[in-house]
Structures are given as structure tokens and as C-alpha cells.
Amino acid sequence: MAAFPALLLLFVAVVSGQIQITPREAVRQVGESLDVLCKVNYPISFCRVEIGRESYTIPSNSPAPGDPTYYGRGLQEGECGAHITNIKEAWNGDVYCSVPQQIGSREIKQSMKLIVARPPGNPELIVSPPQNELKEGETIRAICRVPRGRPAANITWHLGDEEILNGLKPPVVSNSSEPGLEDVTQELNKVLTADDDRKQLACRVSHLGLNRPLEARRQLDVQYPPRRADGNSDEQITIFGLKIQEDGRLNVTVRSNPEPTVEWKVSDVTLVPGHPNSHPNENSVWTALHPLRLPQDEVHGSGYYNVTLVLSPVTSEDVERNYFLALSNKHGEKRLMVKLSTLEQPAAQASILRLNVYGMELEAGAIVGIVVGVLILLLAVFLVVFAKATDRWCFAGSPPLDGDSEAPLPPHDDVKGAENPTHDHEYIGNGNTKKPDTPV
Ligand SMILES: *[C@@H]1O[C@H](CO)[C@@H](O)[C@H](O)[C@H]1NC(C)=O
Ligand SMILES: *[C@@H]1O[C@H](CO)[C@@H](O)[C@H](O)[C@H]1NC(C)=O
């Protein structure tokens, strides 16, 4: 199989009169230079190159400034190379070299393709459906069209800071209305998520003839019904750490676009933002606050709100009650039941909460846990080996470690019976069951 391309090359070389030209194709910007080398396997007496509409003899006795100059190892080596400088746009096309035939007086010639880069026009981005507000779950079709480039421009897609790699069709290159230039179109299909909201969808165009990429962009407005910010679909939320007789803020962080309408129901009383309510039987005021939009950088996304009910103060009855929170926008409604607790937030739950909101923090906690676990294990192993090696504590009376490695360990009962409940022995037990008071 490997011989086939070589044979083909030989065949081409023979048919074309045995001139080998390198490179066969080159892309250059206007003003750049190019070296083209034509080679035959016999000495030649002259050599000519054709660039654009001009024909040049090289080497020349009296070259004008800007004319191609000879390069190569010499005509007697069969080499006809042209060093072409200051490439012009009009030279886009074939470059020929001609040399005399080995026998006879005819000329033979060979060509290479010079593509003179021409930067494309501005890209055009069309998103359908065309309306500004899009809905989560909806599939958008985006088409980016880049006109009149040579060679065809290169398109990449981006959403916010990330490059989009999925949902792309292969780019389609077609002849432009202007001869010699090419248009490119690429289509993207994407299912929208809440995380896409407020992000810029961009079609970025790079091309040899451009110093910096061109871009067409469109800001996405992806709407969705209210939900818990942590993505948990559980309808019950417990708020910890409230103190009786002090003001309490029941914060629920939610995600919604557009902003949710808030309504709290607490034992027959309906509370809406902007209307503080005294509970009839108590000296306590309940105030529902307007949703507070959280800054995008703090929560790594858009559409986060804190929905808060202020109890001033928290009474012991308040802790017993259930608080019903109804959140709605034009896309749907979410009902949540909030319970209160005067306890501190359990550690595990705090971690889960952080995992959902900040991602990194749980990871840090887990790493600390693993490190502490490994240290405890190492300490336990070290103490056992140390005890056995030095014939101490539980291993008192058993053969030393380096004496006979096949000596069986004393049975577990014996260990208990070996009246040696030293402090260190207890410590091992502690490490394995209760764990020392290192925070995990
Ligand atoms: C609710 O948020 C406020 C900040 O707006 C904070 O001071 C308060 O401690 C939070 N309350 C709870 C129970 O998380
Ligand atoms: C929003 O509520 C969360 C609890 O859900 C609280 O930790 C945070 O401090 C609140 N942020 C603001 C700005 O109120």
C-alpha cells in the first residue's frame, strides 16, 4: 500500500515532463514572500517563472526591483527556484515554472497553487427562534455565515468563556458571489439550560488575513420557573440557628427568571413583600421582603435571589410552625415548606449546601477528612508494628518480629487476656471507633 502514493508521484512526474515543484500549494498574505522550487534531473540552460500575468527569466542579468530572484543549487543541478517577494492580491492563482526539455527544444512547465489570503467580511449570526426571551429546554438553531474569504474562514463557537464543541454541524463552504472567494456557514443546535442565561453566544472567525478574530454575538435570555438554588427538588427546607427572642431572618436562596413573585403563608396569615403583618395573638411582626437579587459573581450564575421572611422577634411558637412559601413567575410555580430550628446547622448538611452553591468547599472538607483518616490509620499501623517489634503491650510474650516471620499472631482472646491495658492500647481503640477530637 505504501508503494502506491510513491508510484503515483512518479507517474505524475513522468507525465508532467519530470519537473518536481515544491510546494504544490501555499497560502500567503499580501506583502509576504514565497519560495518555489522546480527541479529536473538534468542540467538546464535557462529557467522561467510566470506569476500573475508576468513571465520572468531567472536568473536575470538586470533584475528590476521586486522581480523574483533565483535560488537553488544552480541550473547545472537542474534546479530552478524563484524567490518571490511582496506578493500582490492579483497573483492569487497558479505560479508556473518552465525549463527546456532534456532532448529537443520544447519547453516543459509545471504549476503550483498560490492562494493569496483575503480576510473575510463580518460574520452574521442568526438565532432561531428569533425572539429575545427563550425558554429552558428549548432547542435553538444558530447559523453563522462568514462571507467572502480566501481561503474559507475558520469558525469557532463560544458561550461565555467556554468553547462549544457539541451540537455543531460541519462547516459548509460555497462559492461567494465575488469570484475566487468563499463563503462559510456553520450551524449549531443547542438545548438551553438555566446556566446559559445572560451568557453571550458568539461565533468567532479566525483567518490568516486577520490580525484579530472577528465576532458576531448574541446575549441569551433563558427563562425558567422558580426552583431551589441548590437544585434539590425536595420541597422541605429547614433553617437552622434561630434564636428565641431575637430577630430571625428566614433566607431561602432560589433561582428564577424572571424574578419570582413571593407569597408566604403562616398559620392562616398571607404575607406578601411590602406589607408587614403583626400576628394577632403575639407581640411579633412578620415581614416578607422583596426578593434580593444576588450578584452574579458571588453565586456563579444569574437568576439567584434571596427570599426572606423576617420574624421580629422569633417566639417559641414560631419554631413549631410550618412556613409555606409560594414562588411563581410566568413559567410556573414552586411551593416550599420551611421549618425552623434553634439548633446549629448539622455539619453534613452544611457541606451539601456548599457543594451545591460553591462546589469547591466540600472538596476541601473531603480532602481534610481523607488526610486525617490516613494519618490515624498510619499511626495505628505504626503502633501495632512498634508493639510487635519491641515485644510490648499486646504482643508481650510473642516471638519478636524479626525472629520468625511465620510465627502466628496470638489469638484475639489472648490479646484481651494479656493483662496489659496500657494507655496506648486504649488510644488505638479510640482512633478506630470514636475518632480523636480532630475536626473532620
Ligand atoms: C440571612 O441572610 C442575612 C444576610 O442578608 C444574614 O445576615 C443572616 O444570617 C441569614 N440568616 C440565616 C438564617 O441564614
Ligand atoms: C442569602 O441567603 C443565604 C442562605 O440561604 C445566606 O447565607 C446569605 O448570606 C444571604 N445573602 C444575602 C446577600 O442576603
Side-chain angles (χ1 to χ4, degrees):
M1 272 319 278
F4 180 70
L7 278 176
L8 189 72
L9 211 69
L10 189 69
F11 177 75
V12 168
V14 168
V15 165
S16 63
Q18 289 172 318
I19 303 186
Q20 273 182 20
I21 191 163
T22 43
R24 303 207 55 109
E25 186 179 304
V27 182
R28 289 291 184 277
Q29 293 195 64
V30 169
E32 286 186 334
S33 56
L34 168 70
D35 287 344
V36 177
L37 180 64
C38 293
K39 206 167 155 25
V40 288
N41 58 4
Y42 53 86
I44 48 179
S45 53
F46 77 91
C47 164
R48 222 151 48 74
V49 293
E50 288 168 59
I51 307 158
R53 298 213 177 118
E54 305 298 331
S55 179
Y56 304 89
T57 304
I58 52 168
S60 163
N61 294 332
S62 54
D67 284 355
T69 50
Y70 179 86
Y71 97 93
R73 289 183 299 156
L75 294 176
Q76 66 285 354
E77 298 287 333
E79 289 195 357
C80 166
H83 175 64
I84 305 166
T85 55
N86 198 11
I87 288 172
K88 304 198 168 33
E89 189 171 344
W91 294 356
N92 181 69
D94 290 337
V95 172
Y96 295 92
C97 63
S98 310
V99 295
Q101 251 182 344
Q102 187 166 18
I103 301 158
S105 49
R106 250 186 286 162
E107 273 179 26
I108 51 175
K109 64 194 222 172
Q110 181 62 285
S111 70
M112 62 84 62
K113 192 168 179 190
L114 169 60
I115 298 167
V116 181
R118 165 89 174 248
N122 283 321
E124 187 186 4
L125 177 64
I126 300 162
V127 179
S128 61
Q131 72 267 22
N132 251 341
E133 290 173 8
L134 300 161
K135 239 198 115 184
E136 175 187 48
E138 205 171 350
T139 302
I140 52 164
R141 190 165 81 116
I143 292 174
C144 181
R145 188 175 157 274
V146 190
R148 298 182 305 279
R150 188 175 58 218
N154 186 31
I155 300 177
T156 53
W157 294 82
H158 303 262
L159 187 63
D161 306 331
E162 277 170 36
E163 183 170 355
I164 303 176
L165 299 168
N166 296 320
L168 295 173
K169 293 199 172 162
V172 177
V173 178
S174 59
N175 285 333
S176 171
S177 52
E178 205 176 315
L181 302 182
E182 287 174 323
D183 299 343
V184 202
T185 337
Q186 190 170 29
E187 181 179 325
L188 163 75
N189 285 279
K190 173 165 173 50
V191 180
L192 296 173
T193 69
D195 289 334
D196 299 336
D197 183 47
R198 301 288 104 212
K199 289 193 179 153
Q200 299 268 354
L201 174 68
C203 145
R204 191 172 297 166
V205 178
S206 52
H207 190 274
L208 186 68
L210 290 171
N211 291 330
R212 64 182 60 170
L214 298 172
E215 226 173 52
R217 33 172 77 229
R218 153 98 186 258
Q219 160 131 12
L220 298 180
D221 177 7
V222 182
Q223 303 202 338
Y224 46 91
R227 66 195 54 170
R228 283 177 64 164
D230 55 15
N232 192 331
S233 60
D234 196 350
E235 311 223 312
Q236 189 179 315
I237 292 180
T238 305
I239 293 177
F240 293 91
L242 292 163
K243 297 194 175 63
I244 308 280
Q245 290 314 319
E246 285 182 22
D247 281 4
R249 295 171 74 95
L250 317 190
N251 301 328
V252 179
T253 310
V254 302
R255 203 170 186 195
S256 174
N257 186 25
E259 176 174 324
T261 303
V262 173
E263 189 183 280
W264 294 85
K265 275 209 169 66
V266 193
S267 53
D268 303 336
V269 182
T270 300
L271 298 150
V272 291
H275 301 277
N277 232 305
S278 301
H279 191 266
N281 308 328
E282 291 163 43
N283 304 326
S284 171
V285 180
W286 296 338
T287 313
L289 302 185
H290 287 285
L292 173 70
R293 181 187 275 276
L294 301 178
Q296 195 159 330
D297 50 339
E298 216 164 276
V299 282
H300 309 299
S302 67
Y304 288 91
Y305 296 88
N306 266 7
V307 170
T308 304
L309 180 67
V310 184
L311 311 179
S312 29
V314 178
T315 67
S316 49
E317 290 81 11
D318 289 341
V319 180
E320 307 300 319
R321 290 191 179 95
N322 290 331
Y323 298 78
F324 296 94
L325 170 61
L327 301 156
S328 58
N329 67 14
K330 65 180 170 185
H331 299 291
E333 191 187 46
K334 178 76 181 171
R335 289 175 176 273
L336 295 170
M337 188 175 83
V338 178
K339 286 177 170 289
L340 306 190
S341 171
T342 50
L343 301 175
E344 279 311 310
Q345 183 144 4
Q349 194 160 347
S351 302
I352 289 167
L353 219 72
R354 282 206 201 102
L355 169 72
N356 288 321
V357 182
Y358 298 114
M360 288 307 290
E361 297 200 10
L362 175 65
E363 260 178 41
I367 290 165
V368 169
I370 289 166
V371 168
V372 169
V374 167
L375 285 178
I376 288 169
L377 196 73
L378 281 177
L379 186 65
V381 168
F382 169 76
L383 283 176
V384 168
V385 170
F386 178 69
K388 190 151 164 58
T390 56
D391 213 5
R392 220 175 261 235
W393 307 321
C394 320
F395 298 102
S398 68
L401 191 64
D402 51 354
D404 181 6
S405 57
E406 275 171 15
L409 287 170
H412 195 64
D413 285 353
D414 288 358
V415 177
K416 266 191 178 160
E419 299 290 305
N420 226 345
T422 61
H423 186 71
D424 299 76
H425 183 100
E426 268 174 29
Y427 180 70
I428 300 174
N430 262 349
N432 288 341
T433 53
K434 220 174 68 192
K435 292 194 174 151
D437 42 0
T438 322
V440 177

